[in-house]
Amino acid sequence: MNRIAKIFTLGLITVTGLSSCEKFLDVNTNPNAPGKETISLSAKFPAALVATVNQEQGQINQIGAFWGGYWGTTNQAVNSFVDLKSYNGLAIMHQRDGIPVWETAYNNLYYLELIKREALDEKALFHAGAAKIMQGWLFLRLVDMYNNIPFDEALRGFEIATPKYEPGKTVYEKAINLITSGIQDIKNHKDGPGISKMGADDVMFKGVPALWYKFGNTVKLRALIRQSEAGNQAYIDAEIAKIGAEGSGYLNATENAFIQPGYLNSSGKLNPFWENYYKTVAGKVTVNYAAIRPTTYVINQYSALNDPRLANLYVAVGGTYKGVLFGNPSSSDPQYSQANTSAFKGPAENNNNPAALFKSFSQPSVLMSSFESLFLQAEAAQRGWIAGTAQQYYEEAIKQSFKYMEVPAGDFTAYNQQAGVSFTAAPAKIERIIEQKWLALNSISSIEAWNDYRRLGLPNIPNSLDAPSPTARPLRLMYPETERMTNNEEASKQGNDDITTAKIWWMK
């Protein structure tokens, strides 16, 4: 953790470079002095939003897509993503070749901390509040991946070189409080001379306060839903009551937390999901596009329900959709070859029309969708936590998923009448909600599929064929080597962090 302050100069360059809009990239200032005098809030804040969504759509979505049952690899890519397919926690935590979820998230948190401090100094409470909400998002995500983490002492730079860890449950409560505080800051904001005004630099909600309130509430609802099996109902009820008293509600069917900084058709400035998993600026398919395929399991689930999203997600092979086995260690079976399995569908495979996941190089990046919000509300309503009808939330969530995946609205009625889709026909209502949520979040917010599986064991996702044992499942990430090198005494106090045996606090 003490590395955060040491690497922040490099991190600032990285974060600013992740922004894909010209005015956010072309900052002619000294990056070694990232203070108020050199880079304005209007430049720093969008860069922080873009950096956060890039992590979500990149490394975090990729982990969730493999562990949540969506992705596998072709025969030709049997040696790709080996660490994720084999649940190799030691390799994932490696300083050089691992997946730096911890480092990236804390770097983004520190950047938001500087934004928050500067905003509070100049009484720019909108920026300060939005920064707090985003920090809450990141702290919650870190707990979901690592369990106990530093919070109070995490962002103190050189002041505290070895910050203390706090229990994951405690961090969850503090992160939720941070979001609540952020919402109140935005409500207290007043424009005035010398005070930065939120506007175009808000590349998610364009400076609309109500959307920030709803987004914050929805992130809190997700955090409360996560605790459904943790025996924490009194706390959940109290926090739901606070959200109700605040009064703004949650993201609805027309409200999405999409980030659009102004992607450009040039290298490094395209939508990163497009550029990493579909096409380069030169129009060539990426290595990931060639290597990754849907699992047979996900194809079978769509097929069993005659789901119209399937045709917009993948390319048919010989008139049918063909997947791969997750973790298949063999490269000899021709049915799992690149040529004989279904690739992602994009405009080039869809008569130049937008497809389910790949629409254009300038498509917005998804931080949280309206349909995820609606599925969360459906589950909360079914559990009796919030007002409204679970069936209505559920059906609207499917409709919005159809809309995002370019399925005609008229297809919903016939789809919903099937016994395997109908909410009223479902013998287990929450299981039905999770089934459809899983189908909707495929490759968009895949990490939530893994989170739901760890929470409820739903859906019945097949294990990797390359798992260390038939029953071993990935439960968490191990503390990274960078943390072990600099704060090992604190990390070691947390006990077992093995990837397949140590649980997150909210798991059964």
Side-chain angles (χ1 to χ4, degrees):
M1 272 299 307
N2 62 333
R3 294 180 72 255
I4 295 297
K6 296 177 183 178
I7 67 172
F8 179 68
T9 297
L10 175 60
L12 174 65
I13 296 170
T14 302
V15 168
T16 304
L18 284 169
S19 177
S20 299
C21 182
E22 289 284 16
K23 75 173 185 175
F24 301 147
L25 287 170
D26 297 337
V27 181
N28 296 315
T29 53
N30 176 14
N32 294 309
K36 180 177 180 180
E37 299 79 11
T38 57
I39 304 177
S40 67
L41 284 175
S42 63
K44 282 186 277 215
F45 185 69
L49 286 178
V50 172
T52 302
V53 81
N54 281 2
Q55 182 184 26
E56 284 287 322
Q57 291 282 277
Q59 60 182 208
I60 290 178
N61 184 57
Q62 182 170 283
I63 292 169
F66 282 110
W67 291 352
Y70 301 125
W71 292 1
T73 54
T74 66
N75 287 349
Q76 289 84 351
V78 69
N79 293 321
S80 299
F81 308 104
V82 172
D83 299 339
L84 290 175
K85 292 186 288 190
S86 62
Y87 311 152
N88 189 337
L90 291 173
I92 292 169
M93 68 176 279
H94 196 272
Q95 179 181 9
R96 186 186 66 227
D97 300 320
I99 306 175
V101 174
W102 177 283
E103 296 89 335
T104 303
Y106 269 114
N107 202 57
N108 290 343
L109 276 165
Y110 191 63
Y111 195 54
L112 285 161
E113 180 69 12
L114 296 185
I115 291 170
K116 180 179 72 178
R117 293 175 191 173
E118 180 180 331
L120 290 172
D121 284 346
E122 71 167 62
K123 297 182 173 57
L125 294 184
F126 201 138
H127 284 85
K132 287 181 179 180
I133 292 170
M134 295 309 301
Q135 284 185 312
W137 171 288
L138 287 164
F139 276 121
L140 290 167
R141 184 63 82 212
L142 280 165
V143 172
D144 291 343
M145 307 299 275
Y146 296 97
N147 202 33
N148 303 341
I149 62 169
F151 184 91
D152 285 346
E153 297 183 356
L155 307 176
R156 306 279 285 274
F158 291 108
E159 183 182 347
I160 300 178
T162 55
K164 292 181 180 179
Y165 282 57
E166 299 179 46
K169 182 179 179 181
T170 300
V171 176
Y172 246 59
E173 293 174 0
K174 290 183 176 182
I176 288 172
N177 290 341
L178 187 61
I179 294 171
T180 301
S181 175
I183 291 171
Q184 191 58 51
D185 280 348
I186 297 174
K187 289 187 173 186
N188 292 339
H189 175 82
K190 295 180 180 179
D191 292 332
I195 299 176
S196 295
K197 184 176 181 179
M198 185 74 83
D201 52 327
D202 178 4
V203 292
M204 185 158 66
F205 293 131
K206 304 301 181 187
V208 178
L211 292 178
W212 277 101
Y213 308 154
K214 291 183 176 185
F215 173 65
N217 287 338
T218 309
V219 176
K220 291 199 291 183
L221 180 62
R222 178 205 271 171
L224 297 172
I225 289 283
R226 197 88 84 226
Q227 304 175 48
S228 67
E229 312 305 304
N232 209 22
Q233 195 60 48
Y235 171 77
I236 292 170
D237 292 342
E239 290 301 317
I240 290 289
K242 290 179 185 177
I243 295 172
E246 188 279 323
S248 299
Y250 310 98
L251 293 173
N252 65 32
T254 63
E255 297 164 343
N256 293 280
F258 290 173
I259 292 177
Q260 177 52 278
Y263 296 114
L264 303 171
N265 193 23
S266 57
S267 182
K269 298 179 183 180
L270 293 81
N271 172 289
F273 184 70
W274 174 284
E275 192 168 20
N276 287 328
Y277 298 101
Y278 186 51
K279 294 286 184 73
T280 68
V281 69
K284 304 294 185 182
V285 297
T286 66
V287 173
N288 286 334
Y289 180 84
I292 294 169
R293 291 292 186 270
T295 61
T296 56
Y297 180 76
V298 73
I299 285 180
N300 288 342
Q301 301 315 298
Y302 284 117
S303 297
L305 298 174
N306 302 301
D307 197 310
R309 289 171 289 195
L310 179 61
N312 287 346
L313 280 162
Y314 309 116
V315 178
V317 179
T320 61
Y321 299 94
K322 298 180 179 180
V324 297
L325 301 177
F326 176 46
N328 186 356
S330 171
S331 60
S332 60
D333 193 335
Q335 68 176 312
Y336 303 124
S337 69
Q338 181 176 319
N340 292 330
T341 49
S342 295
F344 289 123
K345 179 176 280 190
E349 299 79 27
N350 199 36
N351 298 317
N352 293 320
N353 294 312
L357 304 177
F358 298 100
K359 304 170 189 299
S360 76
F361 69 82
S362 60
Q363 68 189 60
S365 291
V366 179
L367 190 64
M368 177 180 272
S369 64
S370 64
F371 40 96
E372 183 189 348
S373 175
L374 290 162
F375 279 120
L376 290 169
Q377 292 174 72
E379 182 173 347
Q382 182 61 31
R383 292 181 181 277
W385 297 358
I386 65 172
T389 304
Q391 180 178 346
Q392 291 178 342
Y393 291 128
Y394 167 85
E395 291 178 355
E396 188 59 43
I398 298 173
K399 290 177 183 178
Q400 293 307 313
S401 171
F402 274 26
K403 181 178 179 180
Y404 184 83
M405 291 195 183
E406 310 293 339
V407 174
D411 289 359
F412 170 77
T413 300
Y415 180 73
N416 191 49
Q417 288 174 347
Q418 299 179 97
V421 177
S422 169
F423 191 79
T424 56
K429 306 297 187 187
I430 288 178
E431 182 174 349
R432 179 60 49 88
I433 291 168
I434 298 302
E435 288 169 352
Q436 281 295 324
K437 182 182 178 185
W438 183 77
L439 294 171
L441 297 184
N442 177 4
S443 305
I444 299 169
S445 296
S446 304
I447 197 67
E448 293 307 311
W450 182 46
N451 289 333
D452 281 336
Y453 181 81
R454 289 186 293 166
R455 175 171 67 100
L456 298 170
L458 298 171
N460 187 24
I461 301 166
N463 201 5
S464 172
L465 295 177
D466 200 23
S469 75
T471 58
R473 293 276 190 165
L475 305 179
R476 57 166 294 161
L477 298 185
M478 300 172 72
Y479 294 120
E481 190 175 41
T482 53
E483 182 71 356
R484 291 293 186 180
M485 292 166 59
T486 58
N487 197 19
N488 188 51
E489 182 177 353
E490 279 296 317
S492 295
K493 291 178 183 178
Q494 312 315 309
N496 178 26
D497 70 344
D498 181 75
I499 191 170
T500 60
T501 61
K503 294 183 177 181
I504 305 301
W505 76 272
W506 44 257
M507 294 174 60
K508 285 184 178 180

